[in-house]
Amino acid sequence: MTAVGIDAIEIWTGKLQLDLPNTFAPAKGEDPEKYTKGLGLETSSFPDTYEDIVTMGANAAKRLMDRRDLSPDDIGRIDVATESAFDNSKPVSTYIAGCLEQVYDGDFHHANKGERKFACVAGTQSIDDAYNWIRAGRNRGRAALVIATDTALYARGDPGEATQGAGAVAMLIDEDPSVVELSTEQGYGSADETDFLKPNQQFPSVDGKRSMQVYLARMREALEDFESVAWDTHPDDFEFIPFHTPFPGMVRKAGLLGYRHMIRGTDIEDDLEAEIGRQPRESEYDSWDAYEDAIRDYMDELKRTDRYRDWYGETIEPTLGLARRVGNWYTGSVHVARAASLKHAAEQGVDMTGKKLLVGSYGSGAQAEIHAETVRDGWADEVSALSIDDQLDRRYDLDFDEYETVHDAHNHDLDAEIEEFTQPDGEFVHTGWGRMNERKYDYVE
Ligand code: HMG
């Protein structure tokens, strides 16, 4: 069977940044280490006044198309994953196609366009849709453009405010891909949950603490489901495990849970027995609660072992390098984590070809999805072409007053007008609204 997967990746960050320990923490009267050590964040990305989900998505897509010398005829499908859409009918992909048609010869009139919604897992679901379309043989030799784009803003004063972010990831899904091949096997953990939602409102209603429990429960179900169709996973099977990263502290919990699950009944559990005992087994306890307490105690011990810390440092920590600097990009977040891990490998001179990733996506509401990826031999060229470090270094650093004004400027309920902080340079910009309240965009050379 021909390999299908991610052939190219581009990332576009919002052009402003908020420094969490040095700007946000003092204004909030909080200890900076709550953000750096607790949540694991340094800065978050924000959109400048002329940026939105369309401009960021179109800018990421244009970079990708330019770099791979693609024309609209090469693309048979444009799927946008977002939870920041501003229209309940017209999909963001039509706006992005319209932007791209301003700068390329030809058009996307014969490309299928859509918009995917399931909180943060929608980016991965869009990749699935593209994968299935190609596997079904309906692509006529063309590739799919998947764009995950969000302005992940919370209401001022919400505990989630520290985890905000804005940016887009564009990915080309194709046969014989350069970056990673996707496994056919997938695991799901899905349930009707009320942890994070936006019932016709811009900013989410969030039950933050519960959302973390739901994330872990669904992720565990997804891993068990993946193993039921793939194989019993072992920590050494994977070079990296990129998870959906609302903030790195969440992944710290997910990594421990995953490791505990994967080592059960393996040589690693045997090796650790003398130090921390064996894992509790449900049959040894009278109640589920007692069993869960024992598991929690075991995990407290496990996370202090050198064996676990080494594994975490090598397999999980590298996935967080970009998230620490950008915050939560919702639908793009797990794809940022994948890119961060491959970027780290390239910087360390690790040959990743043929190595495996386990990718854990999650969306509130709630659904986790887990699949494996095999790295392909074009990965290093693709990853070294990313300009994300430069983009991050060039962000305008907001002071707290400016941050408050930017937040207001992006609040759909307010009419705040402010000057931009940066100058557009070779990019799409939002210029205003048309007669039917549609958004208008131009390309600025
Ligand atoms: P909070 O309640 O303000 O923070 O907000 P906290 O008091 O729980 O502290 C956070 C961590 O910092 C804790 O670590 C503290 O101990 C530590 P933990 O105990 O959990 O390991 N801490 C410190 N560490 C060092 N020095 C200090 C210090 N002070 C505290 N001085 C919360 C946290 C997650 C609730 C909030 O950020 C929130 O509501 N976020 C939004 C919801 C969210 O991100 N949930 C994650 C799972 S759901 C998900 O991922 C889906 C999502 O992406 C949406 C989608 O799918 O569309 C959100």
Side-chain angles (χ1 to χ4, degrees):
M1 209 160 43
T2 317
V4 175
I6 303 176
D7 190 46
I9 303 177
E10 269 296 345
I11 307 179
W12 183 276
T13 178
K15 294 172 77 175
L16 310 178
Q17 75 168 26
L18 178 65
D19 185 316
L20 291 161
N22 297 309
T23 305
F24 190 71
K28 289 277 171 184
E30 295 272 14
D31 180 352
E33 295 204 335
K34 169 172 176 180
Y35 303 106
T36 51
K37 295 212 167 124
L39 296 176
L41 292 164
E42 294 290 339
T43 53
S44 38
S45 288
F46 283 86
D48 206 336
T49 52
Y50 54 84
E51 293 188 288
D52 67 7
I53 50 172
V54 172
T55 65
M56 295 188 299
N59 287 323
K62 179 172 182 303
R63 271 179 189 277
L64 186 151
M65 289 183 64
D66 285 350
R67 189 157 57 70
R68 298 300 291 267
D69 201 17
L70 297 171
S71 69
D73 285 349
D74 299 314
I75 308 292
R77 193 177 170 106
I78 305 179
D79 284 310
V80 171
T82 186
E83 48 185 299
S84 321
F86 44 79
D87 193 312
N88 287 324
S89 174
K90 183 175 158 58
V92 171
S93 49
T94 58
Y95 281 103
I96 291 183
C99 285
L100 297 171
E101 284 170 358
Q102 291 183 32
V103 296
Y104 292 110
D105 289 336
D107 58 51
F108 296 97
H109 288 199
H110 303 296
N112 188 6
K113 306 181 190 92
E115 189 173 302
R116 252 291 190 174
K117 180 177 72 181
F118 195 148
C120 304
V121 77
T124 298
Q125 291 183 318
S126 297
I127 294 178
D128 280 356
D129 292 342
Y131 178 96
N132 295 336
W133 170 73
I134 293 170
R135 276 263 175 270
R138 293 177 133 182
N139 60 323
R140 303 186 227 156
R142 296 173 300 171
L145 190 54
V146 166
I147 301 163
T149 180
D150 270 299
T151 48
L153 299 185
Y154 287 76
R156 296 293 320 286
D158 188 289
E161 195 180 358
T163 68
Q164 297 176 118
V169 182
M171 291 166 282
L172 194 71
I173 312 303
D174 205 354
E175 288 173 274
D176 195 16
S178 296
V179 185
V180 290
E181 174 184 1
L182 304 171
S183 66
T184 308
E185 297 83 6
Q186 293 176 289
Y188 291 102
S190 189
D192 177 10
E193 295 279 7
T194 310
D195 55 333
F196 170 111
L197 56 158
K198 298 182 181 179
N200 288 328
Q201 62 198 44
Q202 183 187 3
F203 302 129
S205 299
V206 194
D207 186 343
K209 299 284 183 220
R210 188 170 146 61
S211 74
M212 296 167 72
Q213 294 312 316
V214 176
Y215 175 120
L216 294 174
R218 302 287 82 80
M219 203 60 92
R220 187 166 86 174
E221 279 175 4
L223 182 55
E224 286 169 354
D225 194 42
F226 174 76
E227 289 183 326
S228 76
V229 290
W231 71 95
D232 284 339
T233 55
H234 184 284
D236 298 343
D237 292 345
F238 307 103
E239 197 68 13
F240 299 113
I241 305 187
F243 281 104
H244 167 58
T245 311
F247 53 92
M250 184 71 240
V251 171
R252 207 164 50 223
K253 295 176 199 303
L256 181 62
L257 183 91
Y259 189 81
R260 204 269 303 148
H261 177 90
M262 287 193 275
I263 64 169
R264 183 172 274 233
T266 68
D267 53 324
I268 301 181
E269 187 183 14
D270 295 345
D271 293 349
L272 289 172
E273 185 172 1
E275 196 179 343
I276 58 168
R278 294 191 77 73
Q279 293 196 23
R281 265 56 182 181
E282 198 185 330
S283 57
E284 297 160 3
Y285 294 85
D286 293 337
S287 70
W288 178 259
D289 286 350
Y291 169 62
E292 292 241 292
D293 285 348
I295 287 277
R296 259 192 294 277
D297 291 345
Y298 179 84
M299 296 212 325
D300 272 348
E301 298 280 329
L302 178 63
K303 75 177 175 211
R304 294 192 189 95
T305 62
D306 289 343
R307 185 84 182 241
Y308 174 71
R309 290 156 86 106
D310 289 350
W311 175 83
Y312 185 87
E314 287 163 12
T315 314
I316 307 287
E317 191 60 43
T319 69
L320 305 174
L322 293 173
R324 288 189 196 292
R325 301 182 69 193
V326 304
N328 191 356
W329 285 11
Y330 287 162
T331 54
S333 161
V334 67
H335 310 292
V336 166
R338 177 198 296 103
S341 59
L342 294 177
K343 190 168 148 312
H344 169 86
E347 286 158 6
Q348 300 298 310
V350 178
D351 182 7
M352 287 292 295
T353 305
K355 299 214 164 126
K356 285 205 170 351
L357 312 178
L358 188 70
V359 180
S361 304
Y362 175 75
S364 284
Q367 181 160 302
E369 188 268 3
I370 288 190
H371 67 266
E373 297 180 356
T374 307
V375 180
R376 305 269 296 178
D377 62 6
W379 73 278
D381 288 346
E382 267 302 308
V383 167
S384 53
L386 288 175
S387 64
I388 185 64
D389 285 334
D390 283 352
Q391 292 183 48
L392 294 176
D393 291 344
R394 273 193 273 119
R395 287 176 299 180
Y396 177 90
D397 191 28
L398 297 165
D399 66 29
F400 197 75
D401 288 346
E402 290 168 337
Y403 158 65
E404 293 192 298
T405 332
V406 167
H407 199 287
D408 284 353
H410 288 286
N411 184 336
H412 299 169
D413 292 336
L414 300 178
D415 216 4
E417 285 278 328
I418 53 163
E419 290 287 304
E420 64 269 18
F421 294 90
T422 60
Q423 284 308 308
D425 178 17
E427 65 197 90
F428 295 103
V429 297
H430 175 218
T431 53
W433 283 264
R435 71 184 171 90
M436 290 173 73
N437 205 24
E438 76 279 18
R439 293 193 177 210
K440 300 294 238 181
Y441 299 93
D442 272 340
Y443 185 74
V444 175
E445 292 292 344

